[in-house]
């Protein structure tokens, strides 16, 4: 980028698919981004904008007038325009809608009020619907009157006269069946339509399990509102999986990799602040044992080992639990089995590594007593790590707090505090 | 499950989709699994097996005779059978192939030799191919002679007489176009076919960016070998995203959530062992400063704060970098910008929290000197955390080691060691 002239870059951008141009923008530091964005053809900016992450979208959008946004988003799918508009403050959204032509606005107003993490927010209004009493021959002629069929259309949606969803006619069936049959004879009624308020992760799970390419969406009376296509579901799957990863480090899955220094620092500082409070808690615990440490300074040398092993074991438990929750594997029937399993794993690995640590510590400081103390502390802390690594995310979920937030800061506080108390407490008892 | 009779459960299982039954198995502790598996109808076991994770598949497979495996996998897609067989030892795979009927075996032998993390491993051989010189009318009649069209077929694949890929004819186009046109006039030639050895994460990225439902796969001479469908790509996306999450905790993304105690303990113990070595390294650093700690025991109280803040800041950097790498956002042009950004973020957050910690420490121990020392150590450690959090994953990637392994153990070693050296070293210099 730095070597080519602007003309070269602009020619290159013109040849790119919108998704590739978006990827280039996402992979560029802030200053190059502004330059690149200006070089993208006006009539491609909408498509590119649509492929960008939330944070970057907002950045470019906030520099535009409502009328420009309206122009930019022309030709995009309704659900995508709705996603983009939902980034903007309500009053700006209103102005953008005002600036659109009447038909676009009417269609958008149907989808924009659904939260973007529900089936309604993922939905498009471009479904082709047919009646059950038609013959395939009529359907084929009806289709031929269309100029085009929307992308990712694998089924025609069969509805009643009152627009109630009754089934699907796969194009695959339409193409191999005798044209004199009726839609009713050949349609599939086994695939239930999705309620408009279904959470998006549940929608994603259904798509994954049933290998759907598209699915109809209905209101509470069973009336067809639109359809969801796999390309939007793939984005949900990607974001949900990213969410666990990022949340365990106290980060947001929308975080822009190349956000500028100040914005990045501000984002991360909160989590550091929370950690500082809990770190002082651990320090307060240690300070209770200052006398003992003063006499046996080896304790200060060894105490981070106990805490660190607990932190690692706990992180493993939390990670397994958080992933299992994201995959919807946890229920009331297996919860206690899992907690118990984590405790047993803590006992086994605690005992195993306690022997190693005890031997090493006893030899190092030439004191069997220190070996015995650190061994006991290790076992206690690894059992605690397993238990709290399993219980904390379950507890947070019950409190309707994101379970992934149990990782990192909260968990290591538990393993630090328990580790220090166990190790220094036993030492204090022994050395009097 | 525990309350119902076996008859109830078996009736419930019969009504379930294979994917739902598989999900039930995955969400069950080991003992219930064996019972549930026995209750699944023989002719459904293949479908259910196909939906299970690698680890569970192997568990059930290893209890079966080769002939049973051959029978079980009848009717599954080729790529799915290949995935299942690749779990088994080579000789067993050979026996299973022997036990299959001739046609199945011939088809499978086409796909089984491709690694399962390449386009070849994701590919199916069920594509419908047509020639470019046909009219749509002929194509429509040709399709009608089929009993069915494979699922997720959105395009017919246009090939030459020598089976070379030349383009795609979307069913959507076929249905709306004048039947007297030729395939050549209407086919799309913009979508390149995927080379059979393309890595699966690259395949997934192309599907995501281009919103494909299926894509053709060719050998190095451009001859069509098969096609990849979105349902298999969704699994790749899910697994890749899971990989970063699990690897940061030293775990495998195939790990079975409900693995029994001993297997789980064995899996996790290695990572704990690695951590123990590095924890002793940190302890060795501290032991160099025993004299100073003996005189100023407040140092032992405060030193975990410096290490812990560094650990959190570093984890944040590593997580952002690992995700960016998984998304393919990192290249030679933006690498140094990112490293620098992380360093600046470290300086800013280091300075900010140093002031807070210094004030608190100075008041607590009534010593401005301790406040100044911990402040300096904090700034040093947070800059180190940012730098190493960015550099370590990049370095590992260059060494062709999984960058996610930089998280957890390796990174916290750096932040622990640097934290202790900075804090205790400055203290030793000051207190002499």
């Amino acid at each position: 980028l730095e070597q080519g002239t602007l003309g070269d870059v602009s020619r290159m951008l013109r040849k790119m698919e919108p998704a590739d141009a978006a990827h280039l923008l996402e992979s560029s530091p802030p200053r190059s981004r502004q330059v690149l964005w200006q070089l993208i053809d006006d009539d491609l900016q909408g498509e590119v904008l649509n492929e960008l992450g939330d944070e970057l979208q907002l950045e470019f959008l906030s520099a535009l007038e409502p009328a420009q946004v309206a122009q930019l988003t022309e030709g995009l799918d309704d659900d995508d325009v709705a996603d983009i508009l939902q980034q903007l403050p309500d009053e700006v959204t209103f102005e953008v809608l005002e600036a659109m032509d009447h038909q676009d606005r009417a269609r958008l107003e149907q989808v924009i009020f659904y939260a973007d993490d529900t089936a309604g927010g993922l939905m498009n209004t471009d479904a082709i619907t047919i009646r059950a009493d038609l013959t395939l021959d009529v359907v084929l002629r009806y289709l031929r009157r269309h100029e085009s069929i929307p992308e990712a259309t694998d089924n025609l949606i069969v509805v009643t006269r009152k627009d109630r969803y009754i089934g699907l006619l796969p194009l695959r069936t339409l193409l191999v069946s005798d044209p004199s049959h009726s839609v009713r004879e050949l349609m599939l009624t086994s695939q239930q339509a999705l309620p408009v308020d279904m959470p998006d992760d549940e929608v994603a799970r259904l798509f994954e399990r049933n290998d759907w390419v598209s699915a109809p969406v209905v209101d509470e009376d069973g009336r067809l509102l639109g359809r969801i296509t796999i390309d939007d579901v793939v984005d949900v799957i990607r974001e949900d999986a990213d969410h666990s990863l990022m949340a365990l480090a106290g980060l947001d899955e929308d975080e822009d990799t190349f956000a500028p220094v100040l914005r990045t620092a501000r984002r991360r500082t909160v989590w550091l602040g929370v950690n500082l409070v809990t770190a002082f808690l651990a320090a307060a615990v240690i300070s209770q044992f200052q006398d003992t440490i003063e006499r046996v300074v080896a304790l200060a040398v060894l105490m981070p080992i106990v805490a660190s092993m607990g932190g690692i074991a706990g992180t493993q438990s939390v990670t397994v639990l958080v992933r299992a929750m994201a995959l919807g594997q946890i229920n009331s029937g297996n919860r206690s089995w899992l907690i118990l399993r984590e405790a047993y794993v803590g006992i086994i690995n605690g005992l195993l590594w306690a022997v190693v640590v005890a031997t090493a510590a006893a030899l190092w400081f030439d004191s069997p007593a220190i070996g015995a103390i650190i061994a006991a502390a290790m076992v206690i802390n690894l059992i605690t790590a397993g238990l709290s690594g399993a219980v904390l995310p379950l507890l947070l979920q019950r409190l309707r707090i994101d379970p992934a937030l149990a990782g990192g800061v909260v968990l290591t506080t538990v393993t630090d505090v328990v580790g220090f108390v166990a190790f220094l407490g036993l030492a204090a008892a022994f050395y009097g």
Side-chain angles (χ1 to χ4, degrees), chain A:
Chain A
L1 185 62
E2 277 141 29
Q3 286 144 9
T5 65
L6 289 189
D8 290 342
V9 178
S10 136
R11 229 166 296 131
M12 188 185 75
L13 276 170
R14 215 164 299 145
K15 267 186 274 175
M16 275 183 168
E17 293 288 320
D20 295 326
H23 186 253
L24 181 65
L25 279 172
E26 297 239 338
S27 310
S28 301
R31 237 177 278 171
S32 320
R33 275 177 182 169
Q34 293 301 337
V35 179
L36 286 170
W37 176 248
Q38 299 305 331
L39 289 174
I40 293 172
D41 272 5
D42 285 0
D43 42 332
L44 275 178
Q45 283 190 337
E47 295 275 357
V48 174
L49 194 70
N50 179 35
E51 302 283 344
L52 291 174
D54 284 359
E55 198 170 320
L56 222 58
Q57 271 187 0
L58 188 58
E59 198 174 311
F60 291 130
L61 281 174
S62 50
L64 297 172
E65 295 295 314
Q68 289 177 300
V69 177
Q71 207 191 341
L72 216 70
T73 53
E74 225 170 87
L76 294 183
D77 285 350
D78 301 335
D79 60 331
D80 296 331
V81 182
D83 281 354
I84 290 174
L85 293 189
Q86 275 164 352
Q87 307 267 357
L88 296 168
D90 282 353
E91 40 183 83
V92 182
T93 303
F94 185 73
E95 285 177 55
V96 174
L97 285 172
E98 289 275 280
M100 284 181 173
D101 79 34
H102 182 72
Q103 220 183 339
D104 284 351
R105 196 198 318 170
R107 266 203 346 265
L108 257 178
E109 282 172 346
Q110 286 177 46
V111 296
I112 201 164
F113 299 109
Y114 301 112
D116 73 342
D117 58 352
T118 62
L122 290 170
M123 169 182 88
N124 248 305
T125 52
D126 61 1
I128 299 187
T129 58
I130 52 173
R131 297 279 162 72
D133 49 12
L134 302 177
T135 63
L136 299 195
D137 201 35
V138 177
V139 173
L140 284 166
R141 270 184 286 136
Y142 169 68
L143 287 179
R144 197 138 290 142
R145 285 213 304 272
H146 284 69
E147 217 165 275
S148 70
I149 296 177
E151 282 188 52
T153 295
D154 57 337
N155 302 309
L156 304 176
I157 303 183
V158 189
V159 292
T160 66
R161 223 164 270 278
K162 289 189 167 167
D163 249 5
R164 270 174 223 276
Y165 168 75
I166 45 178
L168 296 172
L169 180 70
L171 296 185
R172 304 188 295 129
T173 309
L174 179 62
L175 284 164
V176 298
S177 307
D178 179 346
S180 65
H181 282 303
S182 76
V183 170
R184 190 180 307 280
E185 291 171 85
L186 292 166
M187 70 182 180
L188 295 176
T189 53
S190 58
Q191 183 175 334
Q192 292 298 310
L194 307 174
V196 68
D197 55 357
M198 179 181 268
D200 62 355
D201 53 344
E202 216 173 311
V203 172
R205 235 173 278 149
L206 285 171
F207 266 80
E208 267 190 272
R209 281 200 219 154
N210 300 294
D211 296 348
W212 290 338
V213 170
S214 72
V217 178
V218 293
D219 67 13
E220 61 235 342
D221 299 325
R223 255 189 304 266
L224 185 75
L225 295 172
R227 66 183 191 119
I228 295 177
T229 53
I230 182 73
D231 51 308
D232 293 316
V233 174
V234 164
D235 295 341
V236 173
I237 293 172
R238 171 72 78 188
E239 274 167 32
D240 280 0
D242 264 7
H243 172 78
S244 303
L245 174 69
M246 298 293 271
L248 278 175
L251 300 167
D252 194 289
E253 71 269 22
D254 291 328
E255 177 149 326
D256 165 17
T257 305
F258 294 88
V261 173
L262 276 178
R263 200 191 302 159
T264 309
R266 205 173 52 229
R267 287 268 170 73
R268 301 199 190 159
T269 211
V270 182
W271 201 234
L272 287 167
V274 176
N275 185 61
L276 188 61
V277 174
T278 69
F280 266 104
L281 194 68
V285 168
I286 301 172
S287 76
Q288 301 304 310
F289 302 98
Q290 286 191 53
D291 296 348
T292 316
I293 294 173
E294 224 162 0
R295 265 179 297 147
V296 191
V297 77
L299 297 176
V301 174
L302 293 172
M303 69 186 190
I305 296 180
V306 180
S308 144
M309 291 296 275
I312 294 290
T315 304
Q316 291 185 326
S317 298
V318 164
T319 304
V320 169
L321 263 284
V322 165
R323 187 185 69 146
M325 285 179 179
L327 296 177
Q329 290 179 337
I330 310 282
N331 55 49
S332 58
N334 55 28
R335 214 172 278 148
S336 47
W337 187 91
L338 259 186
I339 296 176
L340 219 63
R341 202 263 319 260
E342 292 300 322
Y344 281 128
V345 171
I347 295 176
I348 293 177
N349 279 335
L351 286 172
L352 174 69
W353 292 112
V355 174
V356 178
V357 173
T359 313
L363 291 175
W364 187 0
F365 293 99
D366 196 16
S367 153
I370 276 218
I373 291 169
I374 200 169
M378 279 274 291
V379 176
I380 293 173
N381 206 22
L382 259 68
I383 297 173
T384 309
L387 277 175
S388 56
V391 171
L392 276 178
L394 291 169
L395 201 69
L396 288 191
Q397 194 184 40
R398 185 159 294 185
L399 298 173
R400 296 180 182 283
I401 301 173
D402 180 1
L405 290 177
V409 173
V410 185
L411 179 96
T412 51
T413 307
V414 175
T415 52
D416 278 0
V417 167
V418 172
F420 294 140
V421 168
F423 183 55
L424 299 176
L426 287 170
F430 178 82
Y431 295 105

